């Protein structure tokens, strides 16, 4: 009873907002690390045995780089989505617990951040379920139609429109989009 549910937004638009969601979650989780322990890769000079214990090291800087490098939205293997972020955060904490243990100072500190990360991820799954699980849909998508929908979503983003700034090579495509819009209008 009542009006029918509106159709879901196009995949391209969902992909745009999923990438924004991943950036938002990463920012929230990184801000929980007030001691900056997870902000950069573990230095081989400071901890020479770390690579012997941890096969796949990861940190916020590496995750941020993956998000930036996954800037080509319709390369299904390259698009960095919220589920990729959840897997990377889980790997980061598992690495920490494996190397440091869970009971010491660093393990206890990491558990606190992990609780916050898990809460942020679960909250986003509840509030934005349509932005999760896009990988399979992306693999079967019509690239041209979804590419147009991706750019249309970016053009309607209130955080993007009307704001132009200098861009740098390490910025994500969403941060560079205002400059792209300005150049496109010229």
């Amino acid at each position: 009873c009542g009006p029918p549910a509106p159709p879901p937004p196009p995949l391209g638009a969902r992909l745009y907002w999923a990438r924004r969601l991943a950036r938002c979650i990463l920012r929230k989780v990184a801000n929980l690390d007030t001691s900056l322990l997870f902000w950069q890769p573990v230095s081989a000079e400071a901890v020479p045995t770390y690579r012997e214990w941890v096969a796949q090291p990861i940190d916020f800087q590496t995750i941020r780089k993956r998000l930036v490098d996954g800037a080509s939205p319709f390369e299904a293997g390259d698009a960095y989505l919220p589920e990729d972020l959840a897997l990377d955060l889980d790997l980061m904490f598992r690495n920490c617990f494996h190397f440091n243990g869970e009971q010491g100072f660093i393990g206890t500190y990491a558990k606190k951040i992990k609780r916050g990360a898990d809460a942020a991820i679960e909250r986003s799954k509840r509030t934005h379920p349509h932005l999760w699980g896009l990988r399979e849909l992306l693999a079967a998508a019509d690239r041209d139609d979804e590419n147009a929908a991706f750019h249309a979503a970016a053009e309607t983003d209130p955080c993007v429109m009307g704001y132009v700034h200098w861009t740098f090579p390490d910025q994500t495509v969403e941060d560079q989009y205002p400059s792209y819009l300005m150049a496109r209008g010229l």
Side-chain angles (χ1 to χ4, degrees):
C1 301
L11 178 60
R14 290 168 49 196
L15 180 63
Y16 175 82
W17 291 108
R19 290 170 47 86
R20 289 285 307 263
L21 178 64
R23 289 178 58 220
C24 179
I25 295 169
L26 178 59
R27 194 175 311 116
K28 285 180 181 181
V29 174
N31 286 338
L32 296 173
D33 183 10
T34 56
S35 296
L36 310 179
L37 291 179
F38 298 103
W39 280 66
Q40 296 180 5
V42 174
S43 166
E45 292 176 8
V47 188
T49 60
Y50 186 74
R51 288 304 303 253
E52 295 170 16
W53 284 77
V54 176
Q56 294 179 300
I58 193 159
D59 54 87
F60 292 135
Q61 181 180 342
T62 304
I63 294 171
R64 228 177 257 106
K65 183 174 177 359
R66 287 181 182 178
L67 186 56
V68 169
D69 288 349
S72 176
F74 292 101
E75 297 299 324
D78 294 339
Y80 194 86
L81 301 172
E83 48 266 27
D84 300 317
L85 174 64
L87 291 172
D88 282 347
L89 290 173
D90 184 59
L91 175 62
M92 184 177 76
F93 294 118
R94 281 188 290 124
N95 288 347
C96 176
F97 299 143
H98 177 70
F99 187 76
N100 299 294
E102 293 187 37
Q103 304 308 316
F105 170 76
I106 294 176
T108 304
Y109 178 76
K111 278 196 263 187
K112 179 181 129 192
I113 298 170
K114 183 178 182 341
R115 278 192 301 274
D118 291 345
I121 289 168
E122 288 306 314
R123 185 172 39 257
S124 74
K125 284 181 180 180
R126 278 193 320 274
T127 59
H128 300 90
H130 59 289
L131 300 180
W132 288 81
L134 300 179
R135 175 100 37 231
E136 295 79 25
L137 297 173
L138 187 59
D142 176 356
R143 302 283 193 244
D144 292 336
D145 290 345
E146 299 308 336
N147 193 27
F150 180 90
H151 292 287
E155 288 174 0
T156 62
D157 183 353
C159 297
V160 171
M161 293 302 296
Y163 175 68
V164 178
H165 65 277
W166 293 99
T167 61
F168 301 95
D170 64 340
Q171 284 182 311
T172 62
V173 69
E174 290 87 355
D175 286 341
Q176 294 179 11
Y177 206 80
S179 299
Y180 165 76
L181 289 175
M182 181 180 166
R184 203 172 115 191
L186 297 176

